[in-house]
Amino acid sequence: MDVLYFAWVRERIGLPKERIETEAATVSDLVAELSAREDRYAAAFADLSALRVALDQELSDFDASLVGVREVAFFPPMTGG
Amino acid sequence: MRISVQQEEFDLGAEANTFAAGDDANGAIVTFTGVVRDLASGDLDVMEIEHYPGMTERALTKIAEEAQQRWSLGDVLVIHRHGRLAPGDRIMMVATAARHRKDAFEAAEYLMDYLKSRAPFWKKEITTSGAEWVAAKDEDEDALTRW
Protein backbone atom coordinates (compact mmCIF):
# COMPACT_ATOMS: atom_id res chain seq x y z
CA MET A 1 0.00 0.00 0.00
CA ASP A 2 0.98 3.63 -0.36
CA VAL A 3 1.65 5.49 2.88
CA LEU A 4 1.57 9.29 2.75
CA TYR A 5 2.76 11.83 5.31
CA PHE A 6 1.83 15.49 5.53
CA ALA A 7 2.97 18.63 7.37
CA TRP A 8 5.27 18.00 10.37
CA VAL A 9 4.76 14.23 10.09
CA ARG A 10 6.29 14.41 6.60
CA GLU A 11 9.15 16.55 7.90
CA ARG A 12 9.86 14.29 10.87
CA ILE A 13 9.83 11.09 8.81
CA GLY A 14 11.68 12.78 5.98
CA LEU A 15 9.58 11.75 3.01
CA PRO A 16 6.12 12.49 1.60
CA LYS A 17 5.20 9.02 0.43
CA GLU A 18 6.44 5.44 0.37
CA ARG A 19 5.25 2.05 -0.74
CA ILE A 20 5.03 -0.47 2.08
CA GLU A 21 4.44 -4.20 1.96
CA THR A 22 2.77 -5.09 5.23
CA GLU A 23 0.65 -7.73 6.89
CA ALA A 24 -0.64 -5.21 9.44
CA ALA A 25 -4.32 -5.81 10.17
CA THR A 26 -5.14 -2.37 11.56
CA VAL A 27 -3.78 1.16 11.44
CA SER A 28 -2.39 0.70 14.97
CA ASP A 29 -0.53 -2.42 13.83
CA LEU A 30 0.97 -0.49 10.94
CA VAL A 31 2.00 2.34 13.30
CA ALA A 32 3.68 -0.21 15.61
CA GLU A 33 5.47 -1.81 12.66
CA LEU A 34 6.76 1.53 11.34
CA SER A 35 7.73 2.77 14.81
CA ALA A 36 9.84 -0.35 15.37
CA ARG A 37 11.63 0.26 12.09
CA GLU A 38 13.53 3.48 12.84
CA ASP A 39 13.67 6.28 15.41
CA ARG A 40 12.30 8.90 13.02
CA TYR A 41 9.06 6.90 12.71
CA ALA A 42 8.89 6.32 16.47
CA ALA A 43 9.32 10.08 16.97
CA ALA A 44 6.57 10.94 14.48
CA PHE A 45 4.15 8.42 15.98
CA ALA A 46 5.03 9.06 19.64
CA ASP A 47 1.73 10.77 20.44
CA LEU A 48 -1.17 9.38 18.42
CA SER A 49 -3.58 11.88 19.96
CA ALA A 50 -1.70 14.52 17.94
CA LEU A 51 -2.27 12.61 14.70
CA ARG A 52 -5.08 11.90 12.29
CA VAL A 53 -5.31 9.10 9.74
CA ALA A 54 -7.11 8.80 6.42
CA LEU A 55 -7.77 5.52 4.62
CA ASP A 56 -8.27 5.83 0.87
CA GLN A 57 -8.74 9.59 1.37
CA GLU A 58 -11.48 9.31 4.02
CA LEU A 59 -10.83 10.27 7.65
CA SER A 60 -10.67 7.17 9.80
CA ASP A 61 -9.23 6.06 13.15
CA PHE A 62 -6.37 4.01 14.50
CA ASP A 63 -8.53 0.95 15.25
CA ALA A 64 -9.69 0.68 11.65
CA SER A 65 -8.96 -2.40 9.55
CA LEU A 66 -6.53 -2.14 6.65
CA VAL A 67 -8.21 -4.90 4.66
CA GLY A 68 -8.56 -3.74 1.05
CA VAL A 69 -7.02 -0.33 1.80
CA ARG A 70 -4.67 1.02 -0.88
CA GLU A 71 -3.68 4.39 0.56
CA VAL A 72 -3.01 5.37 4.18
CA ALA A 73 -2.18 8.95 5.14
CA PHE A 74 -0.90 10.29 8.47
CA PHE A 75 -1.06 13.97 9.35
CA PRO A 76 -1.63 16.43 12.21
CA PRO A 77 -5.08 17.94 12.88
CA MET A 78 -6.08 20.04 9.90
CA THR A 79 -5.87 23.82 9.80
CA GLY A 80 -7.83 24.94 6.77
CA GLY A 81 -9.83 28.10 6.19
CA MET B 1 -21.76 23.68 -6.90
CA ARG B 2 -18.19 24.61 -7.65
CA ILE B 3 -15.15 23.49 -5.65
CA SER B 4 -11.72 24.79 -6.60
CA VAL B 5 -8.41 23.97 -4.94
CA GLN B 6 -5.83 26.16 -6.58
CA GLN B 7 -2.45 27.79 -6.21
CA GLU B 8 -3.24 30.95 -8.15
CA GLU B 9 -4.99 34.05 -6.82
CA PHE B 10 -8.71 34.51 -7.32
CA ASP B 11 -10.61 37.68 -8.10
CA LEU B 12 -13.04 38.10 -5.21
CA GLY B 13 -15.23 40.64 -7.02
CA ALA B 14 -15.42 38.64 -10.24
CA GLU B 15 -16.14 35.40 -8.39
CA ALA B 16 -18.87 37.03 -6.29
CA ASN B 17 -20.44 38.68 -9.36
CA THR B 18 -20.48 35.48 -11.39
CA PHE B 19 -21.87 33.52 -8.45
CA ALA B 20 -24.57 36.10 -7.67
CA ALA B 21 -25.70 36.21 -11.30
CA GLY B 22 -26.47 32.51 -11.35
CA ASP B 23 -30.20 32.32 -10.66
CA ASP B 24 -32.85 34.98 -9.89
CA ALA B 25 -34.67 32.59 -7.55
CA ASN B 26 -31.86 33.30 -5.07
CA GLY B 27 -32.75 36.33 -2.97
CA ALA B 28 -29.69 36.01 -0.71
CA ILE B 29 -25.99 35.68 -1.45
CA VAL B 30 -23.47 35.35 1.39
CA THR B 31 -19.72 35.42 0.79
CA PHE B 32 -16.91 34.88 3.27
CA THR B 33 -13.24 35.49 2.51
CA GLY B 34 -10.27 34.31 4.55
CA VAL B 35 -7.13 36.46 4.44
CA VAL B 36 -3.57 35.69 5.60
CA ARG B 37 -3.26 37.57 8.90
CA ASP B 38 0.11 38.91 9.98
CA LEU B 39 1.42 37.80 13.38
CA ALA B 40 1.03 40.15 16.34
CA SER B 41 4.76 40.81 16.01
CA GLY B 42 4.23 41.86 12.39
CA ASP B 43 7.01 39.68 11.04
CA LEU B 44 5.22 36.99 9.05
CA ASP B 45 7.01 36.57 5.71
CA VAL B 46 5.15 33.66 4.20
CA MET B 47 2.20 31.45 5.02
CA GLU B 48 2.75 28.11 3.37
CA ILE B 49 -0.34 25.98 2.86
CA GLU B 50 0.08 22.27 2.24
CA HIS B 51 -2.78 20.02 1.23
CA TYR B 52 -3.60 16.44 0.30
CA PRO B 53 -4.41 16.44 -3.43
CA GLY B 54 -7.38 14.22 -4.12
CA MET B 55 -8.63 14.03 -0.55
CA THR B 56 -8.96 17.81 -0.36
CA GLU B 57 -11.38 17.95 -3.28
CA ARG B 58 -13.32 14.97 -1.93
CA ALA B 59 -13.57 16.43 1.56
CA LEU B 60 -14.69 19.85 0.31
CA THR B 61 -17.28 18.29 -2.00
CA LYS B 62 -18.63 16.20 0.87
CA ILE B 63 -18.88 19.24 3.16
CA ALA B 64 -20.67 21.25 0.45
CA GLU B 65 -23.07 18.38 -0.30
CA GLU B 66 -23.86 18.06 3.40
CA ALA B 67 -24.63 21.81 3.51
CA GLN B 68 -26.95 21.42 0.53
CA GLN B 69 -28.83 18.68 2.33
CA ARG B 70 -29.19 20.67 5.55
CA TRP B 71 -30.23 24.01 4.08
CA SER B 72 -32.25 25.07 1.09
CA LEU B 73 -29.48 26.38 -1.15
CA GLY B 74 -29.48 27.46 -4.76
CA ASP B 75 -25.72 27.14 -5.13
CA VAL B 76 -22.42 26.75 -3.25
CA LEU B 77 -18.92 27.91 -4.13
CA VAL B 78 -15.69 27.00 -2.32
CA ILE B 79 -12.28 28.24 -3.44
CA HIS B 80 -9.22 27.37 -1.34
CA ARG B 81 -5.62 28.17 -2.24
CA HIS B 82 -2.44 26.31 -1.39
CA GLY B 83 1.25 27.14 -1.74
CA ARG B 84 3.14 30.20 -0.54
CA LEU B 85 1.04 33.22 0.46
CA ALA B 86 1.96 36.60 1.92
CA PRO B 87 0.19 38.59 4.66
CA GLY B 88 -2.89 40.21 3.16
CA ASP B 89 -3.28 37.56 0.45
CA ARG B 90 -6.66 35.92 0.17
CA ILE B 91 -6.54 32.27 1.18
CA MET B 92 -10.05 31.13 0.46
CA MET B 93 -13.66 32.07 -0.07
CA VAL B 94 -17.02 30.43 0.30
CA ALA B 95 -20.27 31.70 -1.18
CA THR B 96 -23.79 30.45 -0.67
CA ALA B 97 -26.95 31.37 -2.55
CA ALA B 98 -30.43 30.75 -1.18
CA ARG B 99 -33.98 32.03 -1.46
CA HIS B 100 -33.65 33.55 2.01
CA ARG B 101 -30.73 34.90 4.01
CA LYS B 102 -30.98 32.57 7.01
CA ASP B 103 -30.13 29.52 4.92
CA ALA B 104 -27.32 31.38 3.16
CA PHE B 105 -25.73 32.68 6.40
CA GLU B 106 -26.01 29.42 8.33
CA ALA B 107 -24.72 27.29 5.46
CA ALA B 108 -21.72 29.63 5.01
CA GLU B 109 -20.88 29.29 8.72
CA TYR B 110 -21.26 25.54 8.54
CA LEU B 111 -18.96 25.37 5.52
CA MET B 112 -16.32 27.43 7.32
CA ASP B 113 -16.51 25.41 10.54
CA TYR B 114 -16.08 22.12 8.71
CA LEU B 115 -13.52 23.41 6.28
CA LYS B 116 -11.29 24.49 9.18
CA SER B 117 -10.98 21.07 10.77
CA ARG B 118 -12.15 18.49 8.22
CA ALA B 119 -10.48 19.57 4.99
CA PRO B 120 -6.85 18.39 4.72
CA PHE B 121 -4.95 21.69 4.71
CA TRP B 122 -2.02 22.55 6.97
CA LYS B 123 -0.62 26.03 7.50
CA LYS B 124 2.99 26.86 8.23
CA GLU B 125 4.10 30.32 9.31
CA ILE B 126 7.51 31.37 8.08
CA THR B 127 9.25 34.33 9.70
CA THR B 128 12.81 35.60 9.64
CA SER B 129 13.42 33.72 12.88
CA GLY B 130 12.10 30.34 11.70
CA ALA B 131 9.14 28.30 10.59
CA GLU B 132 6.31 26.86 12.64
CA TRP B 133 3.28 24.71 11.82
CA VAL B 134 0.04 26.31 12.96
CA ALA B 135 -1.56 24.14 15.66
CA ALA B 136 -5.24 23.28 15.38
CA LYS B 137 -7.35 25.08 17.99
CA ASP B 138 -9.65 23.21 20.36
CA GLU B 139 -12.29 25.87 19.74
CA ASP B 140 -12.33 24.99 16.03
CA GLU B 141 -13.04 21.35 16.86
CA ASP B 142 -15.62 22.43 19.47
CA ALA B 143 -17.34 24.60 16.86
CA LEU B 144 -18.49 21.44 15.06
CA THR B 145 -20.61 20.30 17.99
CA ARG B 146 -23.15 23.08 17.41
CA TRP B 147 -24.16 21.51 14.11
Side-chain angles (χ1 to χ4, degrees), chain A residues 7 10-11 71 76 79-81, chain B residues 50 52 121-124 133:
Chain A
R10 169 179 56 72
E11 291 178 340
E71 186 173 298
T79 51
Chain B
E50 182 172 336
Y52 183 173
F121 290 100
W122 301 275
K123 295 192 182 108
K124 189 181 200 179
W133 289 99

Side-chain angles (χ1 to χ4, degrees), chain B residues 5-117:
Chain B
V5 181
Q6 61 188 57
Q7 194 155 1
E8 59 275 16
E9 284 181 64
F10 58 88
D11 182 330
L12 176 59
E15 293 291 352
N17 276 327
T18 306
F19 184 80
D23 183 349
D24 61 12
N26 297 321
I29 308 290
V30 166
T31 67
F32 172 86
T33 311
V35 177
V36 178
R37 182 180 48 232
D38 203 345
L39 300 169
S41 55
D43 60 1
L44 181 68
D45 288 330
V46 172
M47 166 85 84
E48 204 169 87
I49 301 179
E50 182 172 336
H51 80 118
Y52 183 173
M55 180 174 167
T56 309
E57 291 79 358
R58 284 170 68 139
L60 293 176
T61 302
K62 197 171 150 190
I63 293 166
E65 284 173 352
E66 185 70 28
Q68 285 183 315
Q69 280 173 19
R70 295 176 73 136
W71 290 276
S72 178
L73 299 174
D75 201 3
V76 178
L77 168 68
V78 180
I79 300 174
H80 203 303
R81 297 178 64 194
H82 59 90
R84 290 168 72 83
L85 281 72
D89 284 355
R90 291 173 189 139
I91 306 177
M92 52 80 57
M93 72 175 286
V94 300
T96 52
R99 290 188 67 79
H100 303 289
R101 71 176 186 276
K102 190 163 184 286
D103 285 316
F105 271 123
E106 286 186 8
E109 283 214 72
Y110 174 91
L111 288 169
M112 286 311 304
D113 281 353
Y114 270 84
L115 203 144
K116 275 214 162 290
S117 18

